């Protein structure tokens, strides 16, 4: 019997940091705030590893329009309840000036165990990301797609970069988040796998040794979800602006469908060794969209604006089918204007030029991130 086409449904998860609206420093989420969010958002909000974090997740969405409506409601609700406590959420992967040593993890069995297992590595996890799930019911197809979709992970990451600062310093990177996250075990680009059985065998081996409880402790940049019949892209920084989140989600959805079409036609996308793909991953982490990416077919560095045009051409049919043409084409604007990391540096530089102290300049960056959180709502 012929298998049905995948639904290519999507779900989006975002992690936010809470800041004090006056000092712009990180703040613990009060229990009543979390209770109010949970009451309004049911199962779509939860505490995260650190007390200053909140995680949200949309419903399963058939279209990007559904995802926009759900994500908008989630952001508005979290922001509204935070405001009642003099707090505001920001969607940036690193707080520009906070010190990780001053933060405390949420006391929850899962997070207590993480803290014990990971030691000092866990303490530095003052970072936030965004995850995009795409619905793929067939297990072996999930593995094929993970093997091939990882080619495009650096391109997605470059567009998302929002963490140039760490403890008040300019790191020189557009995404310092990955530097922190890569200290964890079982991270980075996923290895090439033959099929679902091989993936399950590897996971079961670690489970049987008592090293992990399940595949949710495999934190690759792209993985088969441990909970849902999806593949889950995890490489992106969280985006301050909601519309950027939606562009990244739509690109992920369309690229997945494009590769599925090619596999269905007996072709597929090129599989490149992780050693080489890591060069593009590093370039995205370091430069965002300001420098090019390697085209492994042409063996050449291609400017990022040209890279995006070629991707948009590849997925044109898929964007039409999934009704997200405007969202994917908005990637051009990200390239033209720069990413959040570029905007944060501009805010810092402008403040310094006007006579602000370094700390005041960092506060100005956080103020801008607070404003951007609400920009598209």
């Amino acid at each position: 019997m012929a298998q049905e086409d995948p639904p290519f449904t999507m779900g989006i998860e975002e992690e936010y940091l809470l800041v004090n609206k006056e000092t712009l420093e990180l703040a613990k989420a009060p229990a009543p705030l979390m209770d109010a969010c949970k009451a309004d958002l049911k199962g779509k909000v939860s505490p995260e590893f650190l007390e200053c974090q909140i995680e949200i997740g949309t419903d399963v969405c058939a279209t990007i329009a559904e995802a926009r409506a759900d994500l908008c409601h989630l952001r508005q609700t979290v922001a509204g309840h935070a405001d009642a406590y003099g707090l505001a959420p920001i969607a940036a992967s690193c707080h520009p000036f906070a010190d990780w040593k001053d933060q405390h993890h949420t006391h929850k069995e899962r997070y207590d165990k993480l803290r014990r297992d990971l030691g000092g590595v866990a303490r530095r996890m003052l970072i936030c990301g965004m995850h995009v799930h795409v619905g793929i019911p067939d297990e072996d197809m999930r593995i094929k797609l993970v093997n091939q979709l990882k080619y495009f992970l650096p391109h997605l990451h470059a567009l998302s970069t929002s963490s140039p600062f760490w403890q008040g310093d300019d790191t020189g990177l557009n995404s310092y988040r990955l530097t922190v996250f890569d200290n964890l075990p079982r991270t980075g680009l996923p290895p090439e796998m033959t099929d679902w059985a091989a993936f399950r065998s590897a996971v079961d081996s670690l489970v049987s040794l008592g090293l992990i409880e399940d595949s949710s402790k495999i934190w690759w940049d792209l993985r088969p979800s441990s909970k849902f019949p999806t593949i889950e892209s995890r490489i992106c920084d969280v985006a301050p602006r909601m519309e950027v989140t939606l562009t990244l989600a739509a690109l992920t959805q369309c690229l997945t469908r494009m590769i599925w079409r090619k596999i269905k036609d007996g072709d597929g996308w090129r599989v490149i060794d992780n050693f080489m793909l890591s060069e593009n991953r590093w370039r995205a982490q370091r430069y965002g969209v300001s420098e090019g990416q390697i085209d492994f077919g042409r063996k050449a560095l291609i400017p990022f604006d040209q890279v995006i045009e070629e991707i948009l051409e590849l997925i044109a049919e898929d964007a039409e089918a999934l009704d997200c043409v405007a969202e994917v084409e908005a990637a051009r604007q990200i390239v033209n204007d720069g990413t959040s990391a570029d905007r944060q540096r501009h805010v810092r530089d402008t403040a310094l030029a006007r006579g602000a102290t370094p700390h005041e300049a960092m506060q100005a960056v956080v103020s801008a991130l607070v404003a951007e959180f609400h920009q598209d709502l």
Side-chain angles (χ1 to χ4, degrees):
M1 175 185 273
Q3 292 182 342
E4 293 184 4
D5 294 351
F8 300 107
T9 49
M10 71 162 66
I12 300 170
E13 299 168 350
E14 291 186 316
E15 296 162 351
Y16 307 141
L17 294 168
L18 287 175
V19 300
N20 181 294
K21 292 178 71 173
E22 292 186 4
T23 67
L24 302 168
E25 296 176 350
L26 286 176
K28 175 182 176 179
L33 187 160
M34 288 304 307
D35 292 341
C37 286
K38 289 177 181 179
D40 282 352
L41 300 175
K42 310 307 177 187
K44 298 195 288 186
V45 65
S46 64
E48 244 298 326
F49 180 68
L50 294 176
E51 293 177 334
C52 58
Q53 292 176 300
I54 293 180
E55 180 179 17
I56 59 88
T58 67
D59 285 326
V60 177
C61 300
T63 65
I64 198 70
E66 287 184 19
R68 175 180 286 105
D70 199 359
L71 190 57
C72 183
H73 175 60
L74 289 165
R75 283 196 173 208
Q76 286 176 333
T77 303
V78 170
H81 286 305
D83 185 64
Y85 293 89
L87 307 177
I90 61 171
S93 278
C94 292
H95 186 280
F97 62 85
D99 190 331
W100 58 268
K101 293 186 290 294
D102 297 332
Q103 307 309 313
H104 302 282
H105 80 279
T106 302
H107 288 290
K108 185 178 175 182
E109 183 178 353
R110 171 182 171 83
Y111 297 140
D112 289 344
K113 187 174 189 310
L114 272 178
R115 177 70 177 83
R116 291 193 302 270
D117 289 349
L118 299 176
V121 171
R123 286 199 63 206
R124 296 180 68 243
M125 290 291 290
L126 184 53
I127 55 175
C128 295
M130 69 161 287
H131 307 156
V132 179
H133 291 258
V134 180
I136 306 292
D138 182 80
E139 293 171 338
D140 283 331
M141 180 57 72
R142 282 179 229 159
I143 299 302
K144 291 177 183 178
L145 288 168
V146 167
N147 286 339
Q148 298 179 42
L149 181 60
K150 67 180 177 180
Y151 183 96
F152 294 98
L153 294 178
H155 309 86
L156 294 167
H157 181 52
L159 292 164
S160 77
T161 51
S162 70
S163 49
F165 302 120
W166 182 252
Q167 298 189 125
D169 293 329
D170 189 333
T171 66
L173 307 181
N174 269 30
S175 175
Y176 192 73
R177 165 184 152 265
L178 277 192
T179 301
V180 178
F181 195 73
D182 285 349
N183 282 280
L184 270 64
R186 303 177 294 279
T187 55
L189 294 164
E192 186 177 352
M193 298 166 285
T194 54
D195 53 25
W196 181 258
F199 170 68
R200 285 307 320 171
S201 176
V203 171
D204 292 344
S205 293
L206 295 182
V207 171
S208 67
L209 290 168
L211 303 179
I212 60 175
E213 299 88 61
D214 53 47
S215 63
S216 69
K217 294 294 179 65
I218 294 174
W219 296 301
W220 296 330
D221 296 336
L222 177 68
R223 69 182 184 185
S225 172
S226 64
K227 297 180 180 178
F228 310 112
T230 66
I231 58 173
E232 178 189 6
S233 173
R234 303 167 47 82
I235 196 170
C236 288
D237 279 10
V238 66
R241 297 177 178 174
M242 186 184 72
E243 287 299 326
V244 173
T245 297
L246 295 169
T247 288
L248 294 166
L251 285 168
T252 304
Q253 185 189 34
C254 288
L255 285 165
T256 302
R257 187 178 186 277
M258 180 272 292
I259 293 172
W260 168 80
R261 281 192 294 108
K262 290 183 176 294
I263 292 172
K264 187 179 178 184
D265 291 342
D267 187 9
W269 192 256
R270 61 180 72 103
V271 175
I272 303 295
D273 186 84
N274 281 1
F275 174 73
M276 297 302 292
L277 286 183
S278 292
E279 286 297 313
N280 273 349
R281 186 180 188 268
W282 161 249
R283 293 183 66 79
Q285 181 181 355
R286 171 68 174 86
Y287 302 112
V289 299
S290 65
E291 296 288 342
Q293 292 267 297
I294 305 166
D295 184 306
F296 295 102
R298 284 180 277 188
K299 296 181 173 60
L301 275 174
I302 308 299
F304 208 90
D305 58 348
Q306 183 179 337
V307 169
I308 286 300
E309 291 304 323
E310 292 175 0
I311 288 176
L312 292 177
E313 183 178 351
L314 278 171
I315 64 173
E317 172 184 332
D318 309 286
E320 288 281 356
L322 297 169
D323 196 19
C324 58
V325 173
E327 286 78 11
V328 298
E329 290 186 348
R332 292 189 179 109
Q333 199 65 41
I334 299 174
V335 178
N336 290 336
D337 296 346
T339 68
S340 171
D342 301 312
R343 292 195 303 277
Q344 289 179 50
R345 288 192 172 105
H346 176 71
V347 171
R348 184 269 318 265
D349 293 345
T350 300
L352 290 173
R354 292 174 176 170
T357 66
H359 182 67
E360 290 169 341
M362 288 292 100
Q363 288 178 310
V365 174
V366 180
S367 289
L369 290 170
V370 171
E372 286 195 340
F373 187 92
H374 296 83
Q375 182 168 318
D376 303 315
L377 304 185

